[in-house]
Amino acid sequence: KGIATSAANNVEPEHDNPVTTTTTQKPKPADERKARVAHMEAEKHKEAVNIGTVVMDDEMKALLAKEEQARKEAEELEASRLMAEAEEAKYAAYLEESGDFMNTNSGIRSGINDPFLDRAFIVEKLESELLENLEMQSDLRAIEDIEDQLESQKKEAEEARRAKDEAEAARQLAEAKQKAEEEEARLIVEKQQKEARANAEKIAAAQAELKAMEAETKRLQRLAEEKKKQEAVAPEASTTTIESPGSQAIRDLLEQKQAEAAKVRELGMVEDELAKREVAEAAKKNKAIREAKEAEELAAKKVAEAEAELKRKAEEEEEAKRMAELKKMEEAKKAKETLMRLRQEAEELKAAAEAKKLREQALAKAQAEEEALTAQAENERIEMEAREAAQAEATARGEAEARAIAEAEAQAQAEAERKAIEKQLRIEELAREEQAKADAAKAKADAEYAKAEQQAKKLQEKTEILNDDNIEHLRAKYEELARESEASPGAKRDWAEALKIAGDKVRCMEQHSYGQSPKNDALWTVSPATPVPGQSVTVSYCNQNTVLNGRPKVFAHFGTNQWSNGAEQFEMKARTSAVAGDSTVWFDLDVSVPSKAVILDFVFSDGNGAYDNNNRGDFHVPVAGANEMLERSRIESCIKIYAKLRLEREEEDRLEELRQAERTKLKKIAKVKAAELTAKQRAHVLFTIPEFPKAGEPFKLCYNPKNTTLKDATGVSVVGGWNRWNHEQALPITKLSPDPSCKADSQDYFSVELTSPKDAFMFDFVFCDQDGNNYDNRNRLDYHLPIAGGINSDGSKAAEKPMHVMSVAVEMAPIAKVGGLGDVVTSLSLAVEAEGHRVEVVLPKYDCMKYDLIDDLKEEKGFEWGGTYNHVYSGTVEGVKTFFIDPDNGMFKVGMVYGTDYLSIPMTDQERFGFFSKAALEWMLQSGRNPDIIHIHDWQTAPVAKFLAEDYAPYGLDNPKVIFTIHNLHYGQALIADAMNNCAIATTVSRTYAKEIAHEGCVNPNLHKLHGVVNGIDPDIWDPRNDKFLPQFFGEDEVIPGKAAARQALCSRSNLYNNPEVPMIGVVTRLTHQKGIHLIKRAIYRALERGCQVCLLGSAPDEKVQKEFEEMAHQLKQEHYNTAALHLFYDETMSHFIYSGADMILVPSMFEPCGLSQLIAMRYGTVPVVRRTGGLADTVFDVEHDHAKAAWEGMTPNGFSFDGTDEGSIDYALDRGIDMFYNDIDAFRKLQANCMSQDWSWNRPAIEYIELFHAARKA
């Protein structure tokens, strides 16, 4: 409902706000004739299915099976087409590789016997022969088309006959079934008739018996009456009447007969009624049988009529086609005959013309001879005149030719001079360009040389202290620099690095500074025992018990300070022992100790490859004062290295300042463009004249109610205020008047003249109808227009009061990032902070965070709560003030952000983050923080909204309003429902995703709160102009060399051969079903089929999926070792290489709330290929289908998209990208540069969030 209201409040024009519809893309037809035949077969099968509505189920299934077979044949034809294309591509590649063709029509190199080239020669020869008979080509093509059509008609007739046979078989089957049913009905009727006749016979017998009984009864009655009469006549014998036994018997018999007759009559009536019912039922069944028979006859009649009609239509169509083909053949024949006749007529006309010409020539000749004979007398005069005329004509002709030649020569000379001038100008231009390049290169070299000299000078200045011989002065300088390094984090890091490097440099010498090593006077000695620099020292060596035992010669290899200056070789002198019988042989050597030596290093050998190096430890002896010299060396090295690092950091800081200034400039430009786009998108609803009103000056407000909820209002008014409704001056309900002058192409606008206060920075307003009953308040967000130049009464600039925003989250990039949530928390915080607001983040203090990326981490005052003590730390992450809560109960000391549900410890992620959500509120309450906005994210911190409303707002934490952002509705829907109930405003990460989740039960009851805001990326973090991972920085004007260098690095790291002539397809994703892993697999193989290279980075939380991709990686390594690499693990450097080195990035998600991969890829000039869902639909505009949609967003198309979830859908999008790379590389490079130029930063989203923050405050 809320979404609908929002849409109604800002109805956008059709041409500016297109509705994206699902389009069905047709594959390219390769073989039209085969495709046409397959299509006709499919249509015939469809007709057969329509006819078969009266056919039995088995017959229908057969027809459907045939239709499926036809569809499969069509798919096989398409597959054949693709194979043919692949074969053509292979052949083209073969020709390209073979190269060095002769410049002949055949194109075959001499001396090469190649089947492909032979075939090319034959084809070319045939083509040349066909071209010689060009007039016959159309006839041949027409005849070939006719043959194809006749063949297709034959197939159609065969199919029609087969369908007719099948229909006839079905009809016969139906008739047989009908006859069986009729026979069964007849038998039933006969049985019922027999039973009726038997019942009738029984009734007749009963009736006859009844009549007999009635006759007997009448007879007995007559006898009784006669008896009575006789008794009446006779006198009475006594006063008592005595009944005779015969009379009593007759009366009893009569009553018995009457009772029996009554029973018979009753039985007869019942049987009669039963008989009547049976007869009625039989009649009813007979009627039903007759009706069924009539219906079957009617159906059979209709089938026959349909078959007859179908047959008639087929015959008519066949006859029409036959007549059309005959007509075409006749026309072709006539055309051919006409062509031949025209040729013959042309030949005849040509011959006639030649004959006429010969006749005219002969006639002229005869006439000339006749005139010569008849006018011979005047011949001399005529010839003289002719000669004179000819001479004059020749003279005139010569003069004309001379003039023409002169003019032609002059024109040619002028043209040559013009070309020479143009050539000279071009040469001069090229020379200027080359000179400019040379000057630029020289200037750059001079600048670099000057920079190097300056750095050397600065380094010399910073290291002048090293020339001081006083060690105390050096120590003092060392301590001074150590103190200075504490002033900034950068200096502190430089000093630590200098200490490490200097310490590593002298550490090896320090272990030998405490005396001779090895200490074994029977093996070697040094005299004096502590050598002095600048003096000589005698080294003695005994080879008796060493590897050099018995060697006549021994050589000493001498060096200093861990061989830092190399080694010198000297032959030692053998010394005979002065003790009688002592066979020990010593060798001596005198060497001079260098003045800068600290440690003397020795190794002994026989000169022929045998060495005594003290078991690889060498022989060492320190000189006098070695420890002091080592300390001096360490201090000097540290000071020198630190000075160099500081110079490098200063230069890097200077460059960073320049880059930051450039980024600031680009941000300002992007903000201006965003404001212009916002004004453009709402111009169909409202705008102002001038476009940007100034404080204290009048402006006209123009409003079009036809594009809002007030579209039916007959009059409109505006009511408003200033400075976020906080200014003392308010705008009462003011009526707007119709104003056709607002827009030339619309008569629907109303306007009103207003003047802003001098201290205004914002105009806030809503519209209503003339009765004040209905309002247009932009879906509860109100309308806001910035006012420029506002000045407060104290002379300060009028500006919006900063809000205090506290973001409570469980992820934050780069210190605790698992997914896109961490990126959003950091980037959105920076963007809102850049708009002048105060932003802080509260995060759990995980033991697995990247602590080296947190600046100024220190402990703050903690608090007791939840049965434990909660430590609180503060630090700065990417410039955002961040607080960390660390409870002593160890909830966040588990080595992970998520996943405790699967550990043996008795706590779940929901319990941990529920504890953190309430702890964050407790810390705010106890530390006295009462922010304006608490921004919570997803199910992890969703409980904050309910805890605040129920447990903290009533006890002092009553200022904050809660903004709840849904990053992914897939998890924790119960918690999300609670947050939706208790938050002031809810958002999700794209407009399309907001529509996709509107029906969900946890969202729908509070749908009026939900707003879709597309995520952005931080352009400072993802910046190809300053990405430390890249081998070469680049911008949109350097997309080709920059991406080429990145691709080379990507291939080197992936152990792939770099082939820049083919596209590089990249994938950076989690391998889950949400991300469309079945489409990822398909796209990889499809890209390899098209000759591309592929590089994937990602891992699967599901072990089964991970194993599937590991097997796939192994297979690709065997079959495509030079073109495909799958990195199934996380690698930050590799992700940067793929984003920058790939030509296209693949994001085929089943659902995607927003998605950051496509935004990052476009930042690096990589073209996205995506499935149109969620944020992917809001950020990627197809190069063929989304021009209007891109224009509405102030952009141009930037990628390729598809709608379906099948292989054909992703092939459609991927193939178009690959085709553009192969067929129009310049257009593809422009598309890459266009992707880099688009602003997908947080500029616009941050402004939208700030508007929502204000709306939440107002709510």
Side-chain angles (χ1 to χ4, degrees):
K1 182 176 179 183
I3 296 295
T5 304
S6 176
N9 286 342
N10 291 280
V11 180
E12 297 159 349
E14 288 187 5
H15 62 281
D16 282 341
N17 188 19
V19 178
T20 302
T21 59
T22 302
T23 58
T24 302
Q25 306 299 338
K26 296 181 179 178
K28 298 179 180 177
D31 192 332
E32 294 183 359
R33 190 175 6 174
K34 293 181 179 179
R36 192 163 59 247
V37 170
H39 176 71
M40 288 190 291
E41 289 178 353
E43 290 299 325
K44 285 187 292 184
H45 285 302
K46 288 181 180 179
E47 293 176 3
V49 171
N50 293 332
I51 294 170
T53 54
V54 296
V55 183
M56 300 301 293
D57 291 343
D58 293 339
E59 300 297 319
M60 182 64 72
K61 290 179 180 178
L63 293 175
L64 292 174
K66 290 184 177 180
E67 183 179 6
E68 180 66 16
Q69 181 65 25
R71 185 183 64 78
K72 289 182 179 179
E73 290 175 358
E75 291 177 351
E76 291 176 357
L77 289 173
E78 179 63 14
S80 301
R81 178 185 71 78
L82 295 176
M83 291 178 63
E85 288 182 353
E87 185 66 22
E88 291 174 2
K90 180 180 178 183
Y91 175 54
Y94 176 85
L95 293 179
E96 183 177 354
E97 290 176 0
S98 61
D100 194 24
F101 292 108
M102 293 177 61
N103 188 19
T104 64
N105 290 332
S106 65
I108 304 176
R109 290 185 299 171
S110 59
I112 294 180
N113 183 16
D114 189 283
F116 281 120
L117 300 181
D118 292 339
R119 184 173 64 182
F121 173 77
I122 294 169
V123 170
E124 187 172 359
K125 183 177 180 181
L126 291 173
E127 288 178 350
S128 63
E129 291 176 356
L130 290 173
L131 290 174
E132 292 176 358
N133 299 284
L134 185 60
E135 295 84 355
M136 298 300 293
Q137 294 299 311
S138 60
D139 298 338
L140 292 173
R141 284 195 296 271
I143 293 170
E144 184 178 345
D145 291 340
I146 291 169
E147 291 175 351
D148 293 343
Q149 293 173 1
L150 289 175
E151 183 66 24
S152 64
Q153 288 176 2
K154 288 180 181 178
K155 290 184 178 180
E156 290 176 0
E158 182 65 23
E159 283 294 326
R161 185 186 62 76
R162 188 159 54 247
K164 181 179 177 182
D165 293 342
E166 292 171 353
E168 179 65 24
R171 187 181 62 79
Q172 292 176 358
L173 182 62
E175 288 178 354
K177 184 177 180 181
Q178 180 180 353
K179 288 179 180 179
E181 291 175 351
E182 290 176 353
E183 181 66 22
E184 183 179 358
R186 187 182 62 78
L187 294 174
I188 293 171
V189 170
E190 289 180 355
K191 181 179 179 182
Q192 291 173 348
Q193 289 174 351
K194 287 181 180 179
E195 291 175 353
R197 285 195 296 271
N199 291 332
E201 290 175 355
K202 289 180 181 180
I203 292 170
Q207 288 175 349
E209 186 178 355
L210 179 60
K211 288 180 181 181
M213 291 177 67
E214 287 176 350
E216 182 66 22
T217 301
K218 289 178 180 179
R219 187 181 66 78
L220 291 174
Q221 287 177 350
R222 284 194 303 270
L223 290 174
E225 288 174 358
E226 290 176 358
K227 183 71 176 175
K228 285 180 181 181
K229 288 178 180 180
Q230 291 174 4
E231 289 176 353
V233 174
E236 293 182 352
S238 62
T239 57
T240 305
T241 304
I242 300 175
E243 189 175 8
S244 67
S247 177
Q248 181 66 33
I250 291 170
R251 187 163 52 251
D252 292 341
L253 180 61
L254 178 61
E255 290 177 356
Q256 183 181 358
K257 292 295 184 180
Q258 288 176 345
E260 290 178 356
K263 288 182 180 179
V264 170
R265 280 196 299 271
E266 184 179 354
L267 179 60
M269 291 175 65
V270 172
E271 290 180 347
D272 191 24
E273 182 64 25
L274 291 174
K276 288 180 180 179
R277 289 183 182 179
E278 290 177 354
V279 170
E281 290 293 330
K284 189 175 181 180
K285 290 183 179 180
N286 288 334
K287 183 179 179 182
I289 291 170
R290 286 196 302 274
E291 289 176 354
K293 186 174 181 180
E294 290 174 358
E296 290 174 355
E297 290 176 354
L298 181 60
K301 184 177 180 181
K302 288 183 178 180
V303 170
E305 290 175 355
E307 291 177 351
E309 182 65 19
L310 179 63
K311 182 177 180 182
R312 184 182 61 79
K313 288 183 178 180
E315 290 175 352
E316 288 178 356
E317 290 177 358
E318 184 176 357
E319 182 64 20
K321 290 180 180 179
R322 188 178 64 80
M323 294 302 295
E325 298 304 331
L326 290 175
K327 185 177 180 181
K328 286 183 180 179
M329 292 179 66
E330 186 66 24
E331 289 176 353
K333 184 176 180 181
K334 288 181 179 179
K336 187 174 180 181
E337 291 175 353
T338 302
L339 181 64
M340 298 301 294
R341 181 174 55 79
L342 290 174
R343 285 183 178 177
Q344 186 175 359
E345 289 178 356
E347 293 294 333
E348 292 175 354
L349 289 173
K350 185 176 180 181
E354 292 292 336
K356 183 178 180 182
K357 184 177 180 181
L358 292 174
R359 286 197 302 272
E360 289 177 352
Q361 290 177 353
L363 183 60
K365 185 175 180 182
Q367 187 176 0
E369 290 177 354
E370 184 179 356
E371 290 177 355
L373 291 173
T374 57
Q376 189 174 5
E378 297 181 0
N379 190 35
E380 293 292 335
R381 182 178 63 81
I382 293 173
E383 287 180 357
M384 181 63 69
E385 292 176 356
R387 281 196 296 274
E388 292 175 356
Q391 186 175 1
E393 183 179 357
T395 302
R397 190 184 302 113
E399 292 176 354
E401 289 177 355
R403 284 195 300 272
I405 291 171
E407 291 176 357
E409 290 176 351
Q411 186 176 0
Q413 185 176 0
E415 181 68 18
E417 290 176 355
R418 184 184 65 78
K419 290 183 178 180
I421 292 172
E422 289 180 353
K423 184 176 181 181
Q424 184 63 29
L425 291 174
R426 180 59 181 161
I427 291 172
E428 291 175 358
E429 182 181 358
L430 291 174
R432 285 194 297 271
E433 291 177 357
E434 293 298 326
Q435 185 62 38
K437 291 180 181 179
D439 293 343
K442 184 176 182 300
K444 184 178 179 180
D446 292 343
E448 291 178 353
Y449 180 74
K451 178 181 172 183
E453 280 191 335
Q454 187 178 6
Q455 286 185 342
K457 185 177 180 181
K458 288 182 179 179
L459 183 62
Q460 185 177 0
E461 291 174 356
K462 289 180 179 293
T463 56
E464 282 184 357
I465 187 66
L466 301 181
N467 298 324
D468 194 335
D469 294 333
N470 192 329
I471 186 66
E472 295 300 327
H473 292 172
L474 280 176
R475 289 193 183 109
K477 183 65 175 179
Y478 176 86
E479 293 172 358
E480 178 186 351
L481 292 176
R483 289 191 299 271
E484 288 179 358
S485 67
E486 297 292 331
S488 67
K492 191 174 182 179
R493 285 195 293 269
D494 290 340
W495 182 253
E497 186 174 357
L499 285 176
K500 181 179 182 303
I501 296 173
D504 291 343
K505 187 174 181 181
V506 302
R507 187 168 293 112
C508 292
M509 289 190 291
E510 284 180 342
Q511 64 182 347
H512 303 305
S513 64
Y514 301 102
Q516 178 180 332
S517 175
K519 186 65 176 175
N520 185 353
D521 292 341
L523 175 63
W524 80 302
T525 61
V526 178
S527 180
T530 304
V532 178
Q535 299 181 8
S536 296
V537 63
T538 300
V539 181
S540 301
Y541 173 75
C542 178
N543 68 344
Q544 184 173 6
N545 296 316
T546 69
V547 294
L548 303 181
N549 186 25
R551 302 297 199 278
K553 293 182 179 181
V554 173
F555 294 85
H557 303 268
F558 170 58
T560 61
N561 303 340
Q562 284 295 116
W563 308 99
S564 60
N565 297 314
E568 296 181 85
Q569 178 176 311
F570 301 95
E571 184 176 356
M572 304 181 73
K573 295 181 180 179
R575 170 163 50 93
T576 305
S577 175
V579 180
D582 186 3
S583 60
T584 302
V585 179
W586 283 82
F587 295 86
D588 300 322
L589 174 67
D590 294 331
V591 295
S592 178
V593 180
S595 59
K596 292 186 177 182
V598 179
I599 304 293
L600 304 183
D601 311 309
F602 297 94
V603 168
F604 304 101
S605 73
D606 65 352
N608 292 318
Y611 289 88
D612 180 5
N613 58 9
N614 187 27
N615 197 23
R616 299 187 179 183
D618 299 342
F619 297 81
H620 307 279
V621 62
V623 301
N627 289 325
E628 181 178 336
M629 284 189 288
L630 284 175
E631 182 186 8
R632 182 184 182 91
S633 175
R634 182 178 60 80
I635 292 175
E636 287 179 347
S637 296
C638 186
I639 293 174
K640 189 174 182 179
I641 293 169
Y642 177 70
K644 184 179 179 182
L645 291 175
R646 290 302 297 157
L647 285 175
E648 291 176 354
R649 184 169 295 279
E650 288 173 3
E651 178 63 18
E652 180 60 29
D653 290 344
R654 185 185 70 80
L655 295 175
E656 180 59 27
E657 287 179 3
L658 294 176
R659 287 192 291 266
Q660 188 61 40
E662 180 67 18
R663 286 195 289 266
T664 302
K665 177 183 175 183
L666 293 175
K667 284 182 179 179
K668 289 181 179 179
I669 294 173
K671 286 183 179 180
V672 171
K673 289 183 178 179
E676 292 175 349
L677 178 60
T678 301
K680 175 185 174 184
Q681 289 181 340
R682 74 181 178 206
H684 68 289
V685 175
L686 67 89
F687 60 89
T688 61
I689 303 174
E691 184 177 359
F692 302 104
K694 295 183 179 180
E697 297 182 4
F699 64 93
K700 180 193 284 190
L701 176 65
C702 300
Y703 175 67
N704 182 2
K706 295 297 183 183
N707 291 324
T708 71
T709 54
L710 301 180
K711 59 185 177 180
D712 297 326
T714 56
V716 292
S717 300
V718 62
V719 57
W722 311 91
N723 299 354
R724 297 290 179 185
W725 301 98
N726 293 320
H727 198 278
E728 59 184 8
Q729 179 179 337
L731 177 67
I733 294 180
T734 305
K735 186 176 181 180
L736 281 74
S737 303
D739 189 352
S741 66
C742 287
K743 250 188 178 181
D745 58 348
S746 177
Q747 302 294 317
D748 299 328
Y749 280 86
F750 291 71
S751 72
V752 64
E753 293 280 348
L754 301 172
T755 300
S756 61
K758 292 184 179 180
D759 58 348
F761 62 82
M762 186 73 68
F763 176 36
D764 316 295
F765 55 99
V766 297
F767 297 98
C768 63
D769 58 14
Q770 59 185 2
D771 300 325
N773 295 327
N774 299 306
Y775 280 81
D776 170 17
N777 61 3
R778 202 163 69 96
N779 194 23
R780 304 185 181 188
L781 297 181
D782 300 344
Y783 289 97
H784 305 279
L785 286 174
I787 304 296
I791 303 296
N792 294 321
S793 57
D794 60 359
S796 61
K797 180 181 177 182
E800 188 172 325
K801 180 183 177 181
M803 286 184 289
H804 181 195
V805 180
M806 185 72 71
S807 184
V808 182
V810 300
E811 291 186 42
M812 186 179 187
I815 60 171
K817 174 186 173 181
V818 177
L821 170 60
D823 292 309
V824 172
V825 170
T826 304
S827 300
L828 178 58
S829 299
L830 288 169
V832 174
E833 199 170 55
E835 294 297 322
H837 301 280
R838 177 187 173 194
V839 182
E840 295 175 330
V841 177
V842 186
L843 198 73
K845 187 174 183 293
Y846 304 106
D847 57 351
C848 56
M849 288 195 305
K850 297 179 180 179
Y851 285 93
D852 58 324
L853 300 179
I854 305 174
D855 293 328
D856 302 326
L857 181 64
K858 58 185 177 182
E859 187 168 4
E860 305 277 352
K861 182 181 178 181
F863 59 97
E864 280 284 349
W865 176 84
T868 187
Y869 184 79
N870 296 271
H871 300 269
V872 178
Y873 295 82
S874 68
T876 303
V877 179
E878 297 291 328
V880 179
K881 186 69 174 180
T882 307
F883 294 90
F884 305 92
I885 295 179
D886 183 18
D888 281 342
N889 57 21
M891 280 192 172
F892 303 108
K893 294 182 174 66
V894 292
M896 62 185 69
V897 175
Y898 304 110
T900 56
D901 295 7
Y902 306 100
L903 299 180
S904 59
I905 58 177
M907 70 177 75
T908 64
D909 286 344
Q910 183 173 334
E911 292 170 342
R912 295 165 63 227
F913 297 137
F915 177 91
F916 166 71
S917 296
K918 206 162 190 176
L921 292 172
E922 185 69 25
W923 169 69
M924 292 181 206
L925 182 65
Q926 293 196 26
S927 64
R929 280 175 167 76
N930 216 351
D932 299 303
I933 297 293
I934 295 179
H935 193 179
I936 58 178
H937 304 268
D938 258 355
W939 66 271
Q940 297 94 326
T941 54
V944 168
K946 187 175 182 180
F947 291 155
L948 178 66
E950 296 179 354
D951 301 331
Y952 287 91
Y955 302 100
L957 198 61
D958 54 357
N959 181 56
K961 301 292 184 180
V962 174
I963 298 286
F964 174 48
T965 297
I966 301 172
H967 297 265
N968 192 335
L969 197 69
H970 192 63
Y971 307 99
Q973 294 197 4
L975 297 174
I976 290 174
D978 285 341
M980 290 293 295
N981 289 331
N982 291 281
C983 70
I985 294 287
T987 70
T988 189
V989 292
S990 69
R991 294 181 294 277
T992 299
Y993 189 61
K995 297 175 184 177
E996 292 173 352
I997 66 174
H999 66 282
E1000 296 290 343
C1002 59
V1003 173
N1004 189 266
N1006 294 283
L1007 194 58
H1008 61 280
K1009 297 181 181 180
L1010 186 63
H1011 300 266
V1013 181
V1014 177
N1015 279 345
I1017 57 172
D1018 190 334
D1020 295 340
I1021 295 176
W1022 299 102
D1023 185 7
R1025 294 179 177 87
N1026 186 34
D1027 191 329
K1028 63 182 180 180
F1029 293 102
L1030 302 188
Q1032 176 181 329
F1033 299 160
F1034 65 96
E1036 60 191 82
D1037 54 342
E1038 304 164 322
V1039 63
I1040 297 177
K1043 290 187 71 65
R1047 177 170 180 157
Q1048 179 60 54
L1050 172 61
C1051 290
S1052 298
R1053 194 177 181 91
S1054 302
N1055 197 25
L1056 295 177
Y1057 167 72
N1058 183 19
N1059 183 6
E1061 301 301 320
V1062 303
M1064 172 67 76
I1065 311 300
V1067 184
V1068 180
T1069 184
R1070 286 181 295 112
L1071 298 175
T1072 63
H1073 292 286
Q1074 175 205 339
K1075 300 299 182 180
I1077 52 178
H1078 70 291
L1079 296 178
I1080 291 174
K1081 292 178 181 178
R1082 168 60 187 174
I1084 289 174
Y1085 285 112
R1086 179 60 179 166
L1088 294 174
E1089 289 173 6
R1090 296 294 307 275
C1092 305
Q1093 292 184 293
V1094 180
C1095 191
L1096 177 145
L1097 175 65
S1099 60
D1102 187 333
E1103 293 182 0
K1104 181 179 178 182
V1105 175
Q1106 181 76 9
K1107 185 176 181 181
E1108 289 177 2
F1109 274 88
E1110 288 173 353
E1111 292 173 353
M1112 181 180 178
H1114 179 72
Q1115 178 185 357
L1116 292 177
K1117 188 175 181 181
Q1118 301 298 320
E1119 300 174 359
H1120 301 277
Y1121 61 91
N1122 248 346
T1123 54
L1126 272 59
H1127 306 281
L1128 303 178
F1129 48 83
Y1130 179 75
D1131 187 332
E1132 181 72 12
T1133 303
M1134 180 60 70
S1135 70
H1136 285 254
F1137 283 166
I1138 293 178
Y1139 284 134
S1140 58
D1143 295 300
M1144 287 174 273
I1145 196 79
L1146 187 66
V1147 193
S1149 303
M1150 294 296 96
F1151 70 92
E1152 191 65 70
C1154 179
L1156 296 178
S1157 292
Q1158 80 279 11
L1159 303 181
I1160 297 171
M1162 287 192 285
R1163 177 76 171 145
Y1164 287 79
T1166 300
V1167 178
V1169 179
V1170 306
R1171 183 173 175 271
R1172 193 181 284 110
T1173 182
L1176 302 175
D1178 293 339
T1179 56
V1180 178
F1181 311 121
D1182 192 276
V1183 296
E1184 295 181 6
H1185 309 299
D1186 292 335
H1187 287 271
K1189 184 179 178 183
W1192 174 254
E1193 296 295 337
M1195 299 182 181
T1196 54
N1198 54 13
F1200 302 91
S1201 59
F1202 63 96
D1203 296 298
T1205 59
D1206 59 326
E1207 295 181 353
S1209 298
I1210 194 170
D1211 287 354
Y1212 166 73
L1214 184 60
D1215 282 345
R1216 288 185 294 135
I1218 296 172
D1219 289 342
M1220 179 180 282
F1221 185 96
Y1222 282 140
N1223 302 331
D1224 194 349
I1225 188 63
D1226 292 336
F1228 190 85
R1229 297 303 183 198
K1230 290 179 181 178
L1231 180 60
Q1232 289 180 309
N1234 175 54
C1235 289
M1236 291 191 71
S1237 69
Q1238 294 181 350
D1239 179 23
W1240 292 109
S1241 68
W1242 280 97
N1243 288 328
R1244 286 189 69 191
I1247 295 173
E1248 293 182 47
Y1249 267 104
I1250 291 171
E1251 288 298 316
L1252 293 172
F1253 293 164
H1254 283 294
R1257 294 295 303 166
K1258 183 171 177 289

